[in-house]
Amino acid sequence: MKKTFVFSMLSAIMMLGNTSVVQAEKLGQYPDKPVTLVVPYSAGGSNDRFARLVASGLTKELGEPVVVDNRPGASGVTGSMYVARSQPDGYTLLLVSSSMTTNEAVRPRDDFKPLKDLAPVAMVAKGPFIVAVNNDFPAKTVEELVAMVKANPGKYNYASSGIGSSNQFATESFKMMADLDIVHVPYKGMSQATTDLIGGQTDLLMASGPSLLPSIRGDKLRALGVTSLNESPIAPGLVPMSSVAPGYEFDLWWGIFAPADTPEPLVNFLNAQINKVLNDPKMQETFLADGAQATTDLSAADFKKRIGDDINRWTDLAKRQNITVN
């Protein structure tokens, strides 16, 4: 199988600075066996879908198979810890969404810290949440939605995929900025939350494009807006929620990580290869059809900063809105 990467000795030494020639030679052999991309959730969701898209592209770029391995459990922590404890040699990677940052805000663990135990490699995709209501809900616009909730404090509710989920944080952030009194109904996963919204048991749900677009396109739900600051290409024509809550913005991201001690040159190489995969126009079209935008220009360092900023932001919001796990 064609290899597209073998570090030259000179470039490896330049990137490693004072690191030994032996280390440079070891990096120069990567990859010479299959790479495992762990998804810490069951097959079928957006994390799994995007992991398989990236894996197919990376297989071509690296010249070795990139195999997706689903390891669900503990809201994504089980699979994440498995990768964190793996050898930092580039052969075991993780794809997870920004739910990692909201989990850290409400479920901090002594045995697992995202930015301590993992090395951010590349953001794969991002996208706003879509704001959806059941088809019988009276409001037809975001302005009508806000007016109804304001006129009836505590009467309406919103669903989420669980306490501490990205859905809850997105809605609580909007609730705070728009000064709304709306009741939280947490579920154990997105599937049941969406089902009950369709059935009219709940009134509102903010969730990713991959989660909601199939039901919206099938006329089972009605979309009112998006959580991006401006109109989003994943749902052209939908009004940004910032139109009724100035400055409001929420987007979900998906990204790839390696164990914490992975050498920086290897992290940067993987970042470049992933960005190359995502720069393919067909890949970008596929992501957009699935409800997300492929990201192609973010360095590993910039991705790490984004994660730290998110954890700080959601930790602050959890305190303000009293988001706690019993």
Side-chain angles (χ1 to χ4, degrees), residues 4-22:
T4 60
F5 166 62
V6 176
F7 267 134
S8 69
M9 184 66 68
L10 178 60
S11 63
I13 294 172
M14 289 175 63
M15 295 176 73
L16 287 165
N18 295 326
T19 308
S20 70
V21 172
V22 173

Side-chain angles (χ1 to χ4, degrees), residues 156-194:
Y156 298 106
N157 58 51
Y158 76 88
S160 82
S161 58
I163 296 175
S165 65
S166 297
N167 319 98
Q168 183 186 15
F169 274 80
T171 316
E172 287 294 324
S173 180
F174 180 73
K175 174 181 170 180
M176 180 179 70
M177 295 182 69
D179 191 24
L180 302 179
D181 181 359
I182 184 170
V183 179
H184 180 212
V185 181
Y187 287 85
K188 293 182 179 180
M190 184 54 59
S191 177
Q192 191 58 49
T194 305

Side-chain angles (χ1 to χ4, degrees), residues 129-134 157-161 167 171 187 190 193-195 197 202-207 211-212 221:
F129 279 172
I130 294 175
V131 182
V133 295
N134 63 69
N157 58 51
Y158 76 88
S160 82
S161 58
N167 319 98
T171 316
Y187 287 85
M190 184 54 59
T194 305
T195 298
L197 181 67
T202 55
D203 302 313
L204 175 77
L205 175 61
M206 292 187 180
S211 296
L212 290 183
L221 292 173

Side-chain angles (χ1 to χ4, degrees), residues 127-131 166-167 170 206-209 225-228 234 250-252:
F129 279 172
I130 294 175
V131 182
S166 297
N167 319 98
M206 292 187 180
S208 68
V226 287
T227 62
S228 49
I234 75 162
F250 189 101
D251 64 4
L252 184 70

